[in-house]
Amino acid sequence: MASRLLLLPFLLLLLSSIAAASSPHKGKLKEKLSHLHFFFHDVVSGSNATAMRVIQPAGALARSFFGIVTIMDDPLTEGPDPNSKPVGRAQGMYAATAQDELGFLMAMNLAFTAGKYNGSVLTVLGRNQPLHPVREMPVVGGSGLFRFARGYALARTHWLNLTSGDAIVEYNVHVMHY
Ligand SMILES: *[C@@H]1O[C@H](CO)[C@@H](O)[C@H](O)[C@H]1NC(C)=O
Ligand SMILES: *[C@@H]1O[C@H](CO)[C@@H](O)[C@H](O)[C@H]1NC(C)=O
Ligand SMILES: *[C@@H]1O[C@H](CO)[C@@H](O)[C@H](O)[C@H]1NC(C)=O
């Protein structure tokens, strides 16, 4: 019994040194703030649609589209022109979760495909009222260069076709990461 108790401090020391050695961020944790600016193209109409309704309840309210769920794989580009340099895709969904106005729950991965962020992803989960001038949505995490990310995205409608629902949205994302 006594010899087992003596072993305990050595075991604890061993375990803590193993934990320290296996942490890839040990000794080089330096948080930085990055700003990303791009345009998001939500095409819901035509043969090249990048977003489609997957759930549409029979009783969907015309004023709010409450209950409608749309899945998207929307291109992200450097400029407002859809043919400008692609920088990634917004993959996820938006669900109309407000009854009295147009208001979406947005759940999406911003998967970057250009420059140093190629292969890195930011995950956004928040509330988006598309008819408001500016919408703020939390960035809740990320991967690749965006590990441990947290921050916010500001969305402003750059162009909207009220008939078709197609939209081009300017995004400014401010994110803390390592
Ligand atoms: C769809 O994309 C193709 C290829 O880029 C293009 O030729 C066609 O005009 C597009 N159709 C519409 C309706 O935009
Ligand atoms: C992004 O990374 C992928 C996979 O490594 C590679 O195939 C692709 O060419 C890269 N794209 C750019 C624009 O660097
Ligand atoms: C808006 O959408 C409607 C319906 O798809 C289309 O007929 C019209 O040309 C579009 N307007 C513009 C400016 O793209």
Side-chain angles (χ1 to χ4, degrees), residues 85-86 112-115 118-119:
K85 185 187 165 197
F112 296 99
T113 54
N118 187 6

Side-chain angles (χ1 to χ4, degrees), residues 40 71-74 76 89-93 107-111:
F40 163 105
I71 299 283
M72 65 183 164
D73 180 5
D74 285 347
L76 305 175
R89 313 285 299 190
Q91 296 171 336
M93 62 177 189
M108 64 180 174
N109 289 316
L110 302 173

